[in-house]
Amino acid sequence: MSLQGPQPRDDIYGAYDYSYLQSSSPKQHTQSPIVTGTSVLAVKFKDGVVIAADNLASYGSLARFTDVKRLRPFNSTTIIGVGGDVSDMQYLDRMLNSLDISENYGSAGHALNAKNLHTYLAKVMYKRRSDVNPLWNAILVAGLDGDDKPFLSSVDLLGTTFSSPTLATGYGAHLAQPLLRKLVEDEDKVKDVSREAAVEAVKQVMKVLFYRDARSIDKYSLAVVTKEGGVELKEDEQLEGQSWAFAETIRGYGTQVV
């Protein structure tokens, strides 16, 4: 066996130990996502759920891919939004596509609702976590449950699940949640929230995230899930009416005259 190019002299340094070329180390997995998507946010209203996520996939701190859709309809009653590693999101997309096909061609005559899909994803995420090979994603599952009532729940890379009338992942968990909770404080208030109010609140929060989150852009996807309309998805929404006037009052960065 020989290597290309100049080599250290054997009579000075000794013969090369080719055993180093053999892989004997334990199997390793990705522990640091490279291309990632930021916040996904959702809110219940009296007839369904509104969910949104921007279309940016960042390569580290570089806004590299500006047309990555992170909302995926599963059937006529369910949609998922995925934050975190984009390659793992694509893996989940292929897996859910296979599941969707098997459900459509199955003979059982039953369709998975949003609650069923959330349980399935929670098991998948927990299994991968237990294998020390997690899918580096935070997922929101929105839609209708078996009783056609609004359903919204999350699952993260550890397989941890959580349900609430408002949910957000990533940076949105810090900025979006306080704003959305002003609209829907708890489950009892969901029945008082209209579709229009929920959609407007989500749009306003997406604007706040664009202002404050360096890993976001002003183009986003928004979906509304209801019993009557199914999954209504718009993938190229544009933020409107931004104002940067508040920037004039910011102090503490660079040379400024106070």
Side-chain angles (χ1 to χ4, degrees), residues 78-130:
T78 307
I79 189 167
I80 68 168
V82 185
D85 189 74
V86 170
S87 61
D88 285 345
M89 179 187 73
Q90 292 168 336
Y91 169 82
L92 285 169
D93 186 66
R94 292 192 297 269
M95 182 185 66
L96 291 178
N97 186 58
S98 177
L99 177 64
D100 197 19
I101 292 172
S102 65
E103 285 295 314
N104 288 333
Y105 283 91
S107 58
H110 301 290
L112 294 180
N113 56 50
K115 188 173 183 179
N116 300 146
L117 184 62
H118 176 257
T119 301
Y120 175 82
L121 287 171
K123 301 298 184 183
V124 169
M125 301 297 278
Y126 184 77
K127 195 270 181 185
R128 289 292 296 261
R129 167 262 182 115
S130 299

Side-chain angles (χ1 to χ4, degrees), residues 43 45 50 194-204 222 224:
V43 59
F45 62 96
V50 180
S194 66
R195 170 176 174 155
E196 292 74 19
V199 170
E200 182 60 27
V202 167
K203 288 183 176 181
Q204 290 300 317
L222 184 144
V224 180

Side-chain angles (χ1 to χ4, degrees), residues 7-250:
Q7 305 175 44
R9 290 172 49 183
D10 289 350
D11 59 334
I12 297 178
Y13 299 102
Y16 186 78
D17 184 1
Y18 290 103
S19 65
Y20 288 117
L21 299 177
Q22 307 302 316
S23 177
S24 59
S25 60
K27 184 177 181 180
Q28 298 181 352
H29 303 298
T30 300
Q31 297 295 299
S32 180
I34 302 300
V35 181
T36 58
T38 186
S39 307
V40 183
L41 54 97
V43 59
K44 289 182 183 179
F45 62 96
K46 62 181 181 180
D47 297 318
V49 186
V50 180
I51 185 171
D54 70 27
N55 296 345
L56 178 67
S58 300
Y59 181 79
S61 60
L62 174 67
R64 178 64 181 83
F65 306 102
T66 59
D67 195 30
V68 176
K69 309 301 192 298
R70 297 189 291 119
L71 299 185
R72 184 199 188 281
F74 181 73
N75 51 32
S76 61
T77 64
T78 307
I79 189 167
I80 68 168
V82 185
D85 189 74
V86 170
S87 61
D88 285 345
M89 179 187 73
Q90 292 168 336
Y91 169 82
L92 285 169
D93 186 66
R94 292 192 297 269
M95 182 185 66
L96 291 178
N97 186 58
S98 177
L99 177 64
D100 197 19
I101 292 172
S102 65
E103 285 295 314
N104 288 333
Y105 283 91
S107 58
H110 301 290
L112 294 180
N113 56 50
K115 188 173 183 179
N116 300 146
L117 184 62
H118 176 257
T119 301
Y120 175 82
L121 287 171
K123 301 298 184 183
V124 169
M125 301 297 278
Y126 184 77
K127 195 270 181 185
R128 289 292 296 261
R129 167 262 182 115
S130 299
D131 291 341
V132 200
N133 184 21
L135 296 169
W136 287 76
N137 298 110
I139 305 170
L140 297 190
V141 181
L144 305 176
D145 62 15
D147 298 322
D148 290 331
K149 294 181 179 179
F151 176 86
L152 177 60
S153 197
S154 68
V155 59
D156 64 13
L157 78 167
L158 299 178
T160 305
T161 62
F162 186 77
S163 296
S164 175
T166 65
L167 285 175
T169 72
Y171 208 46
H174 306 282
L175 292 182
Q177 278 286 60
L179 299 174
L180 293 175
R181 284 172 178 162
K182 288 184 178 180
L183 177 69
V184 189
E185 294 181 2
D186 52 44
E187 288 287 349
D188 294 336
K189 298 295 179 63
V190 171
K191 64 181 183 300
D192 300 325
V193 180
S194 66
R195 170 176 174 155
E196 292 74 19
V199 170
E200 182 60 27
V202 167
K203 288 183 176 181
Q204 290 300 317
V205 172
M206 291 300 295
K207 186 184 296 186
V208 171
L209 290 175
F210 176 58
Y211 287 152
R212 297 297 185 181
D213 187 356
R215 305 292 176 268
S216 65
I217 57 172
D218 57 351
K219 188 170 70 173
Y220 64 99
S221 300
L222 184 144
V224 180
V225 186
T226 59
K227 181 179 179 180
E228 294 75 19
V231 177
E232 304 170 51
L233 174 62
K234 299 178 181 179
E235 294 185 319
D236 292 302
E237 294 291 279
Q238 187 78 28
L239 291 178
E240 298 177 351
Q242 297 100 311
S243 172
W244 296 96
F246 66 86
E248 297 178 0
T249 63
I250 296 176

